[in-house]
Amino acid sequence: MQETFNPILSQEDVRGWSLTKEIPVPAPNTVLVLSRSGGELLVISHTDKPISFSKFKFGGYNFLYKIDVGEYVLKIDCSLPSKTSGFDFPTTVEITCSVSDAQIIVKAGTQDVASVLKARLINEMKQISRDYDLRENAMAEKDINRSVRRRVVDERCFDDLGLRVPQLVASLQIDSSAIGSIKQVTLTELNEAALLADKAAQFRLAQAEEIAQLKLDELKRMRASASQEYYEKLVLGDEPSLLAAYLAQNPGNIAELISRFDQQKQLSSGNNMELLKIMLQEDALEGSELGEASMRVLRRVMGLTESPKAALEGNAANQDPQPLSDDDDDLDDVPS
């Protein structure tokens, strides 16, 4: 492996060529190029028919070039820019190359193949390397070897330089002086990422709590609405035994029901209350499915509400007067 090579092995003036001097014959991996004053070139390879002495001597040629067309493996060192500001990828490129067009080499006067290849090769590679930060050297290397190899090998992007590159391998390293900086950058990025993740988690938690609270409020409203409808059915209904059973099982709701009785001011609720009072007074509920505790609850309810006499007077205002029996006068004595 070498750093470069000169494809022009020799250059001779043929205008004073001696008649006794033999005409050169190209060896394998070399070609001869004869040039005229007008710029016309004649290329002779070792597989071509040798040129005659008369054409060589009197054909108007000025110079004879011996060109090396053999393959060489070159090592090219360079630096490629990275996405990380201020840091480059130290890069080594190993290429196999040879002369593909001797005429272009002669016209261009190419004597340092590596320098001719390097400028264009770096331009091809840096278009890819600058998309990767310094920690992604392996990914950048893979992308360069895939993309640049396609441009150089498959598309033969060096043909206009008279050169052919059938093989290319690039190796990207990390500058040792940049390792500390990379660690610091990585730590900073990790801290920032952790902070952002924590903020995102808090935001999601707040959202979840808000949604849960909204659902809870909605559930409470639905329960309150259902409870209100149920209470209204109890208060406005004509089934005192159902109301008595409910109060016996839910003594904690007695005060609320009493409040609803007072707020409704409905004839039906008054009737329910009167019916309950009368049933208690006359022991009409004795022997029913209500237990002693239920009976005590109902009597407690009757003690918290208006007196039976006031309730009956309220009903009398909405109905035709009816004579009171002796039993009705005893309703005022219902225990509280």
Side-chain angles (χ1 to χ4, degrees):
M1 188 182 299
Q2 57 195 66
E3 293 184 355
T4 188
F5 74 98
N6 182 1
I8 302 177
L9 299 176
S10 64
Q11 176 183 350
E12 294 184 72
D13 189 341
V14 299
R15 287 172 295 187
W17 199 268
S18 172
L19 295 176
T20 60
K21 190 175 182 179
E22 293 183 358
I23 299 174
V25 177
N29 293 328
T30 64
V31 296
L32 300 178
V33 179
L34 290 167
S35 66
R36 287 193 176 105
S37 299
E40 182 182 348
L41 300 174
L42 175 65
V43 179
I44 305 169
S45 70
H46 73 283
T47 60
D48 295 332
K49 183 179 178 181
I51 188 173
S52 65
F53 181 84
S54 59
K55 185 175 181 181
F56 180 82
K57 178 64 179 175
F58 305 108
Y61 295 106
N62 300 324
F63 295 96
L64 173 66
Y65 299 89
K66 186 177 181 181
I67 306 300
D68 187 348
V69 294
E71 282 193 348
Y72 290 87
V73 178
L74 304 181
K75 177 183 177 182
I76 299 176
D77 293 322
C78 61
S79 293
L80 299 178
S82 71
K83 190 177 181 180
T84 307
S85 178
F87 296 100
D88 294 336
F89 293 111
T91 304
T92 299
V93 184
E94 295 181 5
I95 60 174
T96 300
C97 67
S98 63
V99 172
S100 61
D101 192 327
Q103 293 190 46
I104 295 176
I105 297 297
V106 170
K107 289 179 179 179
T110 302
Q111 296 183 352
D112 186 348
V113 170
S115 64
V116 173
L117 294 174
K118 187 174 183 178
R120 184 173 296 183
L121 191 60
I122 290 176
N123 185 60
E124 292 285 343
M125 294 189 296
K126 71 181 183 180
Q127 295 182 38
I128 300 172
S129 68
R130 60 166 56 103
D131 292 333
Y132 297 91
D133 64 43
L134 210 56
R135 295 163 297 179
E136 300 173 322
N137 64 305
M139 297 176 60
E141 178 179 298
K142 182 178 180 180
D143 197 1
I144 286 174
N145 281 315
R146 181 181 65 252
S147 302
V148 177
R149 185 184 292 120
R150 182 177 63 249
R151 282 277 297 130
V152 172
V153 177
D154 300 338
E155 299 177 12
R156 303 185 61 151
C157 70
F158 293 118
D159 276 2
D160 62 321
L161 299 177
L163 298 170
R164 185 175 69 92
V165 179
Q167 189 172 358
L168 177 149
V169 177
S171 299
L172 277 66
Q173 307 299 325
I174 300 179
D175 189 349
S176 58
S177 63
I179 294 178
S181 299
I182 293 174
K183 290 181 178 178
Q184 183 60 39
V185 170
T186 302
L187 182 60
T188 302
E189 290 179 348
L190 288 175
N191 290 336
E192 291 177 353
L195 182 61
L196 290 175
D198 184 58
K199 289 183 178 180
Q202 292 180 4
F203 178 74
R204 289 193 296 270
L205 179 60
Q207 280 189 322
E209 290 178 347
E210 183 179 358
I211 293 173
Q213 186 61 45
L214 290 174
K215 290 183 177 180
L216 180 60
D217 293 343
E218 179 64 22
L219 181 60
K220 288 181 178 179
R221 284 193 294 270
M222 292 174 63
R223 287 179 175 177
S225 176
S227 177
Q228 182 176 358
E229 292 178 1
Y230 186 67
Y231 286 160
E232 290 176 353
K233 289 180 180 180
L234 290 176
V235 172
L236 299 177
D238 294 327
E239 298 183 14
S241 59
L242 181 61
L243 177 59
Y246 174 79
L247 292 177
Q249 296 176 4
N250 301 275
N253 294 340
I254 292 175
E256 183 177 356
L257 276 174
I258 295 303
S259 174
R260 292 188 179 276
F261 281 138
D262 293 338
Q263 292 174 1
Q264 287 295 331
K265 303 301 184 181
Q266 297 291 333
L267 178 60
S268 58
S269 65
N271 288 338
N272 275 338
M273 293 298 293
E274 290 302 323
L275 287 171
L276 282 172
K277 292 175 182 178
I278 293 171
M279 293 172 74
L280 287 171
Q281 180 67 23
E282 298 296 330
D283 293 329
L285 293 178
E286 295 292 344
S288 66
E289 294 182 358
L290 294 178
E292 182 179 353
S294 300
M295 298 296 292
R296 287 200 303 271
V297 170
L298 290 178
R299 287 189 171 87
R300 179 186 173 195
V301 171
M302 297 304 103
L304 292 175
T305 56
E306 60 183 353
S307 66
K309 184 176 182 179
L312 290 176
E313 289 174 355
N315 287 338
N318 297 294
Q319 300 177 0
D320 293 335
Q322 297 293 333
L324 294 175
S325 65
D326 294 336
D327 293 337
D328 291 334
D329 292 336
D330 295 336
L331 294 178
D332 291 335
D333 299 328
V334 175
S336 59

